[in-house]
Amino acid sequence: MSLLNQLFNRGVFGAKCKTCLSLAISRIKLLQNKRDLQLKHMRKEIAQFLQAGQEPIARIRVEHIIREQNIWAAYEILELFCEFVLARVPILESQKECPSELREAVASIIFAAPRCSDVPDLLQIKNLFSTKYGKEFVTAASELRPDSSVNRAIIEKLSVSAPSGEIRLKVLKEIAQEHNVEWDSSSTEAEFSRKHEDLLAGSKQACAEAAVSQAIIGQASIKPMPSNGAKPILLANAKRASQHQQAPSPVSKAALLTSSEIEPSAKNCIPGSVSDIKTETTSRPSDVLERARAAIASADCAIAAARAAAELVNVKFGSMKLEGTSS
């Protein structure tokens, strides 16, 4: 009975494999003809965009053309592998293990099956190989394990990674030359050669600018200290002192006047550069650094003016106190 089952299963495998391979070859040919027409139309549109000066659109559309070209090339290789395996189905039936000369073709078909949704027959072929050679063999080819024997061209053509700038520029030049379009590729070359910063991880320049702005805010928020080591005389302290006086003295008025005169001068000395730095962190690095330096200089100027004003208040307060004691 076991011998009869083996013969029956062998015949079923061979018949199903031949049917699926034949259907896959026919479907791949139809898809290639369809994609060929689509590629011609897409390349013509790219040429029109280049001629109209709409290079940004052409740079985006060319990636889709490259993707379609890679799939078309992968289908061409798969068609050859399917024809190769179809001609040697009797060898697959007669041997329990996959023959070494068919290993690359079988592994490539298994790898491409889930990545070529337009050809569902490849999935059926993959299931047949899984039944005959085991899930471990199919998993090794699907996951590209060492010694999986998957064709390198199939791996590259079915890759989902974005094409490099050199490849995109090459295809654009080929399209321009094919449709006789006079196109200056200097701006596109500069765009492709420029290294774009990873904004998801955070910009180093933006972090540095934020640190500078925080330092400026910290310097601007420091209370000015007089050079003689005395406590700073603020407007609120002067008002409290004047309220505790029994009679309004000229000293408190002088302190109020002086501090009220200092306050607008200090405000005028510090422009809105700190807020400008926060809003301009995404601008060019050179402009941001210049604004940061100007803000630091303004903050230093404000601190120096506040210290001078505090010293002036102390001097006036001391002179008025001396006059009061002498009288």
Side-chain angles (χ1 to χ4, degrees), residues 1-16 93:
M1 288 296 293
S2 60
L3 181 60
L4 290 175
N5 289 334
Q6 289 179 3
L7 292 174
F8 179 75
N9 292 332
R10 182 183 301 175
V12 170
F13 171 79
K16 288 185 177 180
E93 286 183 308

Side-chain angles (χ1 to χ4, degrees), residues 148-166:
S148 60
S149 302
V150 180
N151 185 267
R152 301 301 303 177
I154 290 287
I155 298 173
E156 293 176 1
K157 298 301 180 182
L158 295 180
S159 175
V160 295
S161 59
S164 62
E166 296 178 357

Side-chain angles (χ1 to χ4, degrees), residues 77-91:
I77 300 173
L78 286 173
E79 182 184 357
L80 295 176
F81 281 152
C82 288
E83 291 177 351
F84 182 65
V85 174
L86 179 62
R88 288 164 175 77
V89 169
I91 299 176

Side-chain angles (χ1 to χ4, degrees), residues 64-80:
H64 188 49
I65 290 181
I66 294 171
R67 173 66 177 167
E68 292 295 323
Q69 287 179 348
N70 290 338
I71 294 176
W72 190 91
Y75 281 174
E76 188 175 11
I77 300 173
L78 286 173
E79 182 184 357
L80 295 176

Side-chain angles (χ1 to χ4, degrees), residues 12-299:
V12 170
F13 171 79
K16 288 185 177 180
C17 192
K18 286 181 179 179
T19 302
C20 294
L21 287 170
S22 300
L23 291 174
I25 292 170
S26 301
R27 198 184 299 273
I28 287 173
K29 288 181 179 179
L30 291 175
L31 290 173
Q32 279 184 316
N33 295 332
K34 183 180 178 180
R35 270 196 165 80
D36 196 11
L37 295 175
Q38 289 178 350
L39 283 172
K40 288 180 180 179
H41 180 69
M42 293 168 63
R43 291 171 76 91
K44 186 177 180 181
E45 287 184 346
I46 294 291
Q48 292 175 356
F49 287 136
L50 293 177
Q51 192 171 9
Q54 298 179 350
E55 293 187 16
I57 300 177
R59 294 170 194 157
I60 297 173
R61 294 284 185 89
V62 74
E63 293 187 13
H64 188 49
I65 290 181
I66 294 171
R67 173 66 177 167
E68 292 295 323
Q69 287 179 348
N70 290 338
I71 294 176
W72 190 91
Y75 281 174
E76 188 175 11
I77 300 173
L78 286 173
E79 182 184 357
L80 295 176
F81 281 152
C82 288
E83 291 177 351
F84 182 65
V85 174
L86 179 62
R88 288 164 175 77
V89 169
I91 299 176
L92 295 176
E93 286 183 308
S94 61
Q95 299 183 15
K96 186 177 180 180
E97 299 293 334
C98 182
S100 58
E101 65 272 12
L102 293 174
R103 191 177 183 85
E104 181 182 3
V106 172
S108 299
I109 292 173
I110 293 172
F111 172 79
R115 294 167 176 82
C116 298
S117 58
D118 295 336
V119 189
D121 307 294
L122 295 178
L123 288 174
Q124 297 180 9
I125 299 171
K126 175 185 174 182
N127 294 333
L128 290 174
F129 288 147
S130 176
T131 303
K132 183 171 180 61
Y133 301 122
K135 293 183 179 179
E136 188 67 24
F137 178 84
V138 174
T139 304
S142 300
E143 297 180 356
L144 294 178
R145 293 180 183 176
D147 300 331
S148 60
S149 302
V150 180
N151 185 267
R152 301 301 303 177
I154 290 287
I155 298 173
E156 293 176 1
K157 298 301 180 182
L158 295 180
S159 175
V160 295
S161 59
S164 62
E166 296 178 357
I167 297 176
R168 286 183 286 172
L169 182 62
K170 180 182 177 181
V171 174
L172 287 175
K173 288 182 178 180
E174 290 177 356
I175 293 173
Q177 186 177 3
E178 178 184 351
H179 293 83
N180 297 323
V181 177
E182 294 182 359
W183 171 56
D184 184 13
S185 61
S186 58
S187 60
T188 302
E189 291 178 3
E191 178 68 21
F192 287 158
S193 61
R194 187 178 64 181
K195 293 183 179 180
H196 298 279
E197 193 171 6
D198 187 8
L199 299 180
L200 294 177
S203 173
K204 295 181 180 180
Q205 185 67 26
C207 293
E209 292 161 3
V212 171
S213 63
Q214 291 294 334
I216 295 170
I217 295 172
Q219 289 184 5
S221 61
I222 296 175
K223 295 181 180 180
M225 296 291 294
S227 59
N228 54 3
K231 294 182 179 180
I233 298 176
L234 299 176
L235 181 59
N237 294 337
K239 287 182 179 180
R240 291 173 185 173
S242 62
Q243 290 176 359
H244 288 293
Q245 294 283 343
Q246 292 181 357
S249 63
V251 178
S252 61
K253 293 181 180 179
L256 289 172
L257 289 174
T258 309
S259 59
S260 63
E261 291 175 357
I262 294 166
E263 203 172 75
S265 64
K267 288 181 179 179
N268 294 331
C269 188
I270 303 177
S273 55
V274 175
S275 60
D276 291 341
I277 290 176
K278 291 182 179 180
T279 57
E280 293 292 334
T281 53
T282 57
S283 62
R284 293 181 298 175
S286 59
D287 295 341
V288 174
L289 291 177
E290 291 178 1
R291 289 177 181 272
R293 294 191 185 99
I296 292 173
S298 302

